[in-house]
Amino acid sequence: MRLELKKIRQQYGDKLIIKDMDIIFENGLYGFLGPNGAGKSTTIRMICTVEQPVAGSIMYDGADIFEMGEEYRSKLGYAPQRAGYYPNYTVYKFMQYMAGLKDIPVNGEAIKKCLETVALWGEKEKKMKELSGGMKQRVNIAQALLNDPQILILDEPTVGLDPNERLNLKNLLMELAENKIIIFASHIVSDVEDIADRVVILNKGVICMNVSMEDAMKMAANHVWECTLRDNNKIKQLRTQYKECKMQRHKDGVLLRIVSDEKPCEEAVPADGSLEELYLSILKNKKG
């Protein structure tokens, strides 16, 4: 199974949104990161065939997805960040409704399996308006699984989940990724760090990084520095000149963690980095 974007370009009027994007997705979980306006949502819409690129092609196992039409869309599952609900529908009725929209035979066993997967079978008779934000998000993911998709796209799936729900969802996605392509778009970098096989960083319509999580963590170690300082003027200077990712006061002074390709000051020593710090380094090393 292979989804390939070849020289994809997208623009709205004179505004170029995606610039000659090349990327291949195979079985596994891809963490899709980028600031607002990076082009993540546009890329997702094109993969879902909601809009067509102005140039380039998107191929599924060698076939153009726009020519495949419904055959391709039947392989897709999509959980948007903000899904609409009929408040008076029960969870079960909502799942039946979504199955009808997707032209999936309304099979009680299939609905049961999807709701059990997200630990909501016991809540099937609750009305949607009675659910917490996290439970609604789990229903959103359950409907995306109704057709047992080969490609599962999740847009900010952990927003609104409590820590236990987030952990359960991440465990679920790691299990599903064994035989699916999962694209996990998020602003919560730590969630991507926890579960992704590969991390893709997009900025201004360009892929800045596409590497395995193991390689990303090795790269992170080369971009983070720590120093403890007492001189307030020096602290202010460093915070102005570099991107600091942490500042914490101790009895010995102020601990700064700084993202930089170069040693920021004499007192700085290399530190183990996180994906979030690597992400900050790649987007912009210095403030402004």
Side-chain angles (χ1 to χ4, degrees), residues 17-282:
I17 306 299
I18 301 294
K19 305 173 185 177
D20 299 327
M21 179 184 290
D22 286 305
I23 187 168
I24 294 172
F25 298 99
E26 296 177 315
N27 278 7
L29 202 156
Y30 294 77
F32 218 51
L33 295 171
N36 291 331
K40 299 192 302 298
S41 295
T42 299
T43 303
I44 286 172
R45 286 197 296 271
M46 289 189 290
I47 292 173
C48 291
T49 72
V50 173
E51 58 182 71
Q52 197 161 350
V54 297
S57 60
I58 304 177
M59 314 295 285
Y60 178 80
D61 285 347
D64 187 286
I65 66 170
F66 294 96
E67 293 178 3
M68 290 177 70
E70 194 56 41
E71 180 189 356
Y72 168 74
R73 285 188 285 274
S74 69
K75 302 177 188 298
L76 277 176
Y78 176 48
Q81 182 179 354
R82 295 180 180 88
Y85 302 96
Y86 288 106
N88 288 313
Y89 274 18
T90 64
V91 171
Y92 192 88
K93 185 173 177 61
F94 174 77
M95 291 290 285
Q96 287 181 310
Y97 171 72
M98 292 303 296
L101 287 181
K102 297 179 181 187
D103 199 24
I104 300 168
V106 179
N107 182 316
E109 284 302 311
I111 292 175
K112 181 180 180 183
K113 180 181 177 182
C114 291
L115 289 176
E116 284 180 337
T117 297
V118 297
L120 279 178
W121 178 245
E123 312 296 333
K124 65 182 181 297
E125 298 304 327
K126 270 193 174 180
K127 290 185 176 181
M128 295 297 297
K129 65 183 179 183
E130 297 170 348
L131 301 182
S132 67
M135 292 170 76
K136 287 178 182 175
Q137 186 70 302
R138 282 188 280 158
V139 175
N140 187 23
I141 293 164
Q143 64 79 23
L145 296 172
L146 272 168
N147 58 329
D148 190 20
Q150 295 301 300
I151 302 169
L152 180 61
I153 299 174
L154 307 167
D155 193 2
E156 301 287 351
T158 57
V159 170
L161 301 185
D162 66 34
N164 189 56
E165 287 173 327
R166 284 172 64 195
L167 178 61
N168 290 337
L169 174 60
K170 289 188 283 188
N171 289 338
L172 168 64
L173 294 180
M174 285 190 285
E175 292 174 12
L176 293 173
E178 291 181 11
N179 59 3
K180 297 182 189 299
I181 294 170
I182 299 181
I183 301 172
F184 178 106
S186 180
H187 283 91
I188 304 175
V189 183
S190 60
D191 284 348
V192 171
E193 183 175 343
D194 287 345
I195 64 173
D197 300 306
R198 294 187 70 84
V199 57
V200 180
I201 296 179
L202 186 65
N203 190 33
K204 297 180 180 178
V206 175
I207 293 177
C208 305
M209 188 176 79
N210 175 15
V211 299
S212 70
M213 185 57 66
E214 182 180 359
D215 286 344
M217 298 315 296
K218 289 177 183 176
M219 293 168 64
N222 298 323
H223 294 273
V224 182
W225 305 82
E226 276 191 359
C227 56
T228 300
L229 303 168
R230 289 184 177 276
D231 186 334
N232 287 332
N233 288 330
K234 190 166 190 177
I235 292 168
K236 184 177 180 180
Q237 177 189 344
L238 288 172
R239 293 187 68 201
T240 301
Q241 187 175 0
Y242 296 97
K243 182 73 176 179
E244 105 274 355
C245 46
K246 182 178 180 181
M247 185 177 79
Q248 194 170 29
R249 295 192 178 277
H250 295 279
K251 62 180 180 180
D252 297 326
V254 174
L255 171 68
L256 284 179
R257 281 179 69 90
I258 292 170
V259 176
S260 172
D261 292 334
E262 61 190 29
K263 186 174 181 177
C265 64
E266 185 178 343
E267 297 87 346
V269 295
D272 289 337
S274 66
L275 179 61
E276 184 167 5
E277 290 162 333
L278 176 62
Y279 173 71
L280 290 172
S281 172
I282 287 173

